[in-house]
Structure formats: structure tokens, C-alpha cells
Amino acid sequence: MWQSPKRARSRGFTLLELLVVVMIIGIAAGMTTLALRDADASRLEEEGARLAALFESARARSRAEGIEVLWQPKREQGNGFTFTGLSQSAGLPNQWLDERTRGEVIGAPVIRLGPEPVIGAQRVALRIEERQLVLATDGLGPFVVVAPEQSP
């Protein structure tokens, strides 16, 4: 009976196996990069979205009640901010979510939120450590996040 010669088994990996491993490593590295997003940047975005919502709530209340509402960050008393003109029962918070957050009104001492429908262009800078985010309005629309060097 005729027998075929034994095939010599090659040692090592095939090109396909190497490509699959490299692809798996690339996907894992990409997912890790997304999972390790900067916590301060995330917290600052959260603070910005919250403050924009608070501004719109106070602005709507100011227009509905016909009273002037002002916002300013606290300076001497530590962390936080104040809405003046609204009653204490307004229910608006006066503290940042992160105690390291600092706010600064750009170009004016306070933010005016009404009662006029057009409030004028205004900007607020929020900072956590070296990170900065700017909220701005053109006076007609809501406060939105803009790049620090942009104007509303």
C-alpha cells in the first residue's frame, strides 16, 4: 500500500492569526481610551449643562413674574452662586456639583436674566482646575457652550 509522506507541521502563526490578534488588541485599546475619559472634563460639561438649564429656568421665571433676576458666583463665601430677585421658594440650587468648580462672569459683574425678552449678549466661564468651559448667549437664544475664544 502506498503511503503519502508525512507533512511537516510548520511552527509559528499564520498571517491570518496575527491579523486577528492585532485587530483584537486595537479594539481593546480603543475601548480603553473611551472608558478612560478625563473625569474633570466630564464633570465640567455636566456643570455647564446644569447651569445652562438653571439660567433658562430663572429666565422663564423672571419673565413670567416680571421681576429682574441676577446671577453671580460667590466669591468670599467659598463655593457656589446666587440668584437674586427670586424668592427662596424658587427651589433653584446655589451650590456647584463639584466643590472645585469656579464661575466667573465675563465682561460684567453679574448675569442679567430678565424680565425683558432680549437680555443682551452675556458669557460665563466655568473652571475646574486647569479646564475651562464658556457658556454664552446672544440675548435671544438660550445659554450654550462655546469655545473660550468664540463670541456668542
Side-chain angles (χ1 to χ4, degrees), residues 25-73:
I25 291 172
I27 290 171
M31 291 174 62
T32 301
T33 301
L34 291 175
L36 296 177
R37 188 163 179 241
D38 186 7
D40 285 346
S42 296
R43 187 57 125 180
L44 192 57
E45 288 175 10
E46 186 178 348
E47 291 278 19
R50 177 178 177 247
L51 186 59
L54 289 173
F55 281 166
E56 293 311 309
S57 175
R59 191 172 173 188
R61 200 119 181 222
S62 172
R63 290 175 66 188
E65 295 178 14
I67 56 173
E68 182 177 51
V69 175
L70 306 174
W71 178 90
Q72 68 183 67

Side-chain angles (χ1 to χ4, degrees), residues 33-34 49 56 83 92 104 115 117 131 136:
T33 301
L34 291 175
E56 293 311 309
F83 285 95
L92 294 177
E104 176 186 348
R131 302 256 185 227

Side-chain angles (χ1 to χ4, degrees), residues 1-150:
M1 195 178 244
W2 184 80
Q3 290 183 341
S4 64
K6 278 190 166 181
R7 288 187 177 177
R9 265 192 82 131
S10 64
R11 303 214 180 244
F13 300 104
T14 66
L15 181 59
L16 181 61
E17 291 170 331
L18 288 174
L19 287 174
V20 167
V21 169
V22 168
M23 184 175 67
I24 290 171
I25 291 172
I27 290 171
M31 291 174 62
T32 301
T33 301
L34 291 175
L36 296 177
R37 188 163 179 241
D38 186 7
D40 285 346
S42 296
R43 187 57 125 180
L44 192 57
E45 288 175 10
E46 186 178 348
E47 291 278 19
R50 177 178 177 247
L51 186 59
L54 289 173
F55 281 166
E56 293 311 309
S57 175
R59 191 172 173 188
R61 200 119 181 222
S62 172
R63 290 175 66 188
E65 295 178 14
I67 56 173
E68 182 177 51
V69 175
L70 306 174
W71 178 90
Q72 68 183 67
K74 291 180 184 174
R75 300 212 189 281
E76 293 107 25
Q77 299 161 340
N79 187 2
F81 48 86
T82 59
F83 285 95
T84 55
L86 293 176
S87 64
Q88 293 296 332
S89 63
L92 294 177
N94 61 2
Q95 295 292 316
W96 301 110
L97 297 173
D98 188 319
E99 64 185 26
R100 299 173 299 150
T101 303
R102 297 293 176 256
E104 176 186 348
V105 179
I106 300 172
V110 295
I111 294 289
R112 295 189 185 281
L113 298 169
E116 302 84 17
V118 179
I119 59 174
Q122 301 178 79
R123 296 166 44 114
V124 176
L126 299 180
R127 288 186 180 84
I128 294 180
E129 305 289 334
E130 72 279 349
R131 302 256 185 227
Q132 178 175 317
L133 177 138
V134 175
L135 290 175
T137 181
D138 61 1
L140 294 172
F143 280 83
V144 294
V145 175
V146 297
E149 63 276 354
Q150 287 181 337

